[in-house]
Amino acid sequence: MARGSPQVQMAFPTPVGWQRTLLIALVVAYVVELVLFNVDVPIYALLPWHAPSQGFAFWQLVTRFVVQGNQVIGVVMSLLVLYLFLPSVETIISKENLGQAVLAGAAGGTLLPFLLDMSGMLSDAAPLLGWSPLLLVLFAIVGIARPDSDILLMFVLPVKARIFLWGSLAFALIFVLASQGSRPSFEMLGVWIGSVGWWHWLGPGRARRELIQQAAGIERELRRFEVLEGGRSQEGSNGPDDDWVH
């Protein structure tokens, strides 16, 4: 690793404030979900996003994020990624912008498979559920904002953040091909498109472009008022002491 290269530390961060509250809330919500499932409340019949032929309802586009299913290891791993990434991401963008990015990712991850589902292009009948695909938003933000940062993978191996950005896109595309276009694969692709699109068109990328345009405009205005030397005693001037101002 080059001397002075930026680094996103992932070794036992300390989530504070809203980060700790979010992690605790997600754990509590999952415990409640498992309790409801074990007392035979039909949450998996009502809340996940089902295929049109399997009982689809429009509220499931939102409620699918609430339930995670019985894949405990997957939920624990997702919570671990959230725990490791959240403190670093908040050093890049504000909590409000992060919320907007997550909403954009959720919108993209909903719209793309929904349109394909309604057009009959998807044959996958498995229900869609869980918030884990939204983790791609964190990878995208770190990769766009700090592409040359080193993320300590598994607490040891430094990996450039841009690899997380483009690697997550590559994984989503491979998943689309390997699963023959299932709804979960297009959900991941939609989350990536939504979060990256938000950054460039509505988020910090747009703000950066506007600042560059403003700076260019200010520079042009300054040039208009630049005082040029040699204006005195120029032939054709109105007087010997005239200054030329361009």
Side-chain angles (χ1 to χ4, degrees):
M1 183 173 58
R3 180 181 298 178
S5 61
Q7 190 173 77
V8 177
Q9 296 291 343
M10 292 183 60
F12 303 106
T14 305
V16 296
W18 69 271
Q19 302 169 9
R20 183 170 57 246
T21 301
L22 175 62
L23 290 167
I24 293 173
L26 290 174
V27 171
V28 171
Y30 188 54
V31 171
V32 171
E33 173 188 335
L34 294 178
V35 170
L36 293 176
F37 171 69
N38 279 277
V39 297
D40 295 327
V41 176
I43 55 175
Y44 296 136
L46 298 173
L47 301 183
W49 179 355
H50 294 282
S53 60
Q54 302 293 324
F56 169 76
F58 278 99
W59 69 73
Q60 295 169 0
L61 300 178
V62 176
T63 58
R64 79 180 195 273
F65 294 115
V66 177
V67 288
Q68 315 306 312
N70 59 0
Q71 302 297 322
V72 178
I73 299 300
V75 174
V76 171
M77 293 301 297
S78 296
L79 287 168
L80 179 61
V81 171
L82 200 61
Y83 164 76
L84 293 173
F85 263 87
L86 270 182
S88 298
V89 171
E90 197 179 15
T91 65
I92 297 173
I93 64 173
S94 66
K95 178 177 64 175
E96 291 74 19
N97 278 343
L98 177 58
Q100 294 174 19
V102 171
L103 287 176
T110 299
L111 185 60
L112 182 58
F114 175 76
L115 293 177
L116 295 174
D117 223 354
M118 294 300 104
S119 65
M121 297 179 62
L122 302 181
S123 58
D124 180 32
L128 202 62
L129 72 167
W131 50 262
S132 296
L134 297 179
L135 294 174
L136 267 68
V137 176
L138 305 183
F139 300 157
I141 288 174
V142 173
I144 295 173
R146 301 287 189 271
D148 293 322
S149 297
D150 290 317
I151 297 176
L152 298 181
L153 187 63
M154 303 300 293
F155 308 107
V156 177
L157 182 64
V159 178
K160 293 298 182 185
R162 65 166 61 93
I163 295 179
F164 278 82
L165 171 64
W166 299 111
S168 58
L169 173 61
F171 178 79
L173 292 173
I174 292 172
F175 191 20
V176 168
L177 296 175
S179 63
Q180 297 182 334
S182 66
R183 279 182 298 141
S185 64
F186 280 109
E187 179 189 31
M188 292 181 62
L189 181 59
V191 168
W192 192 93
I193 293 173
S195 56
V196 173
W198 169 84
W199 179 280
H200 289 294
W201 291 311
L202 295 175
R206 176 182 177 180
R208 183 176 183 273
R209 288 196 306 273
E210 291 176 348
L211 287 174
I212 292 175
Q213 292 171 357
Q214 292 175 10
I218 293 172
E219 186 175 355
R220 286 194 298 269
E221 290 296 319
L222 290 174
R223 287 173 182 168
R224 290 179 56 191
F225 294 101
E226 182 180 356
V227 179
L228 301 181
E229 297 181 358
R232 295 184 179 182
S233 303
Q234 298 256 355
E235 185 177 354
S237 65
N238 294 327
D241 295 327
D242 284 350
D243 288 331
W244 289 84
V245 179
H246 177 66

